[in-house]
Amino acid sequence: MVPIKVVIADDHTLFREGLKRILSLEKDVLVVGDTSRGDEAAKVVERTKPDVLLLDLKMPKGDLVQTVLQVGEKSPTTKVLILTAYSEQEDILNAAKGGARGYVLKGVSSAVLLQAIKTVHSGGVWVDHEMPAAGTFEEIVRTRSTGYQKDIENQSLRNLTKRELEILRLVAEGLTNEEIARAVFISEKTVKTHLTNIFDKLKVKNRFKAALLIMNRPEEPKWSAPPAKTAGSKALKQPT
């Protein structure tokens, strides 16, 4: 099993180091970075590309909403899980509006925290329903997620070249590598190279998941030559 890559952002050194030790005992979690400053969180995330960022609510030189938004820009696939001692309604709602997918209080057990990390990583939402505005937090996160996921998918597809898009469409139609090679007049080895690049850009591991991203995307219209003029035909005068 590939471990969940985690970055810890917390200004309390003792807590941060202790959390790293606790998570290091879990086989399915790997701490890939940490920081004690809010303004450094997005930079660490950009460099390490974690699956989950554990973010303290109030850190020196950092604004919660701004930090979460920057993380989203630097690494769109990174999920943010707030880990804090504060449970005020305004803080909870600001976290949701910024793009966090979970909100956990520091008083929870390591087992609960691990469950929250796994839930957020898998695309779920985590919040203690005894906290104020927990229901609103969930509603905001789920509403954001619908449009946000589409934006991620569209951006990923825009990163593909025309040839890669062509090959991906053929994959979605169910063609094998050999059939794709014959269809676009390239070698099967070149098809495999294109697929490797496609999987890397779309952050997927197989052709099935890659095909899912393009199945509901309308195909761009293809250019076609205008009909040839027949004898005796007259060109239409363009309006001025």
Side-chain angles (χ1 to χ4, degrees):
M1 180 183 294
V2 178
I4 301 171
K5 295 185 294 183
V6 172
V7 162
I8 302 170
D10 194 290
D11 60 312
H12 292 94
T13 303
L14 187 61
F15 178 83
R16 191 174 67 255
E17 293 298 328
L19 185 55
K20 285 169 63 176
R21 290 192 180 92
I22 291 173
L23 294 178
S24 69
L25 300 176
E26 302 295 332
K27 294 181 180 179
D28 46 1
V29 174
L30 176 65
V31 178
V32 294
D34 67 279
T35 180
S36 61
R37 291 174 39 169
D39 59 345
E40 293 288 336
K43 296 177 183 177
V44 176
V45 166
E46 183 179 22
R47 185 176 70 252
T48 59
K49 293 294 187 293
D51 300 304
V52 176
L53 167 66
L54 296 179
L55 178 65
D56 190 13
L57 187 68
K58 298 180 181 180
M59 297 177 63
K61 299 183 178 181
D63 172 76
L64 171 66
V65 176
Q66 186 63 31
T67 299
V68 177
L69 290 174
Q70 287 177 347
V71 168
E73 292 174 357
K74 301 295 184 182
S75 180
T77 58
T78 298
K79 311 294 194 308
V80 178
L81 177 60
I82 303 299
L83 181 58
T84 181
Y86 301 94
S87 60
E88 284 77 9
Q89 178 173 321
E90 182 180 359
D91 293 329
I92 296 171
L93 296 182
N94 281 339
K97 292 174 183 176
R101 293 198 62 87
Y103 199 102
V104 181
L105 295 179
K106 288 184 175 179
V108 302
S109 65
S110 57
V112 171
L113 176 59
L114 184 61
Q115 188 177 356
I117 291 173
K118 291 180 177 179
T119 299
V120 168
H121 172 249
S122 64
V125 181
W126 185 277
V127 62
D128 185 343
H129 285 94
E130 294 184 1
M131 288 196 295
T136 307
F137 178 93
E138 273 191 311
E139 184 179 350
I140 293 173
V141 172
R142 296 192 188 283
T143 299
R144 283 179 56 91
S145 297
T146 302
Y148 185 61
Q149 184 60 35
K150 289 181 180 178
D151 287 344
I152 292 176
E153 292 173 2
N154 289 335
Q155 181 59 51
S156 297
L157 289 172
R158 281 197 289 270
N159 290 335
L160 301 183
T161 65
K162 289 184 178 180
R163 174 64 88 183
E164 289 168 347
L165 277 172
E166 181 182 20
I167 289 174
L168 183 55
R169 290 191 187 281
L170 295 175
V171 168
E173 291 175 12
L175 274 66
T176 64
N177 288 355
E178 183 181 355
E179 291 170 333
I180 293 173
R182 289 201 302 265
V184 297
F185 306 104
I186 59 178
S187 69
E188 190 172 347
K189 181 179 179 181
T190 303
V191 172
K192 291 179 180 179
T193 300
H194 280 306
L195 286 175
T196 298
N197 293 334
I198 290 170
F199 295 166
D200 183 57
K201 289 181 180 180
L202 298 183
K203 299 186 184 301
V204 297
K205 296 181 180 179
N206 57 59
R207 59 201 297 132
F208 174 73
K209 290 185 177 181
L212 285 178
L213 295 179
I214 203 170
M215 281 180 176
N216 296 322
R217 187 175 188 259
E219 187 169 2
E220 296 178 3
K222 296 180 180 179
W223 181 88
S224 59
K229 290 195 297 182
T230 58
S233 64
K234 295 181 179 180
L236 293 175
K237 183 178 181 182
Q238 296 295 324
T240 57

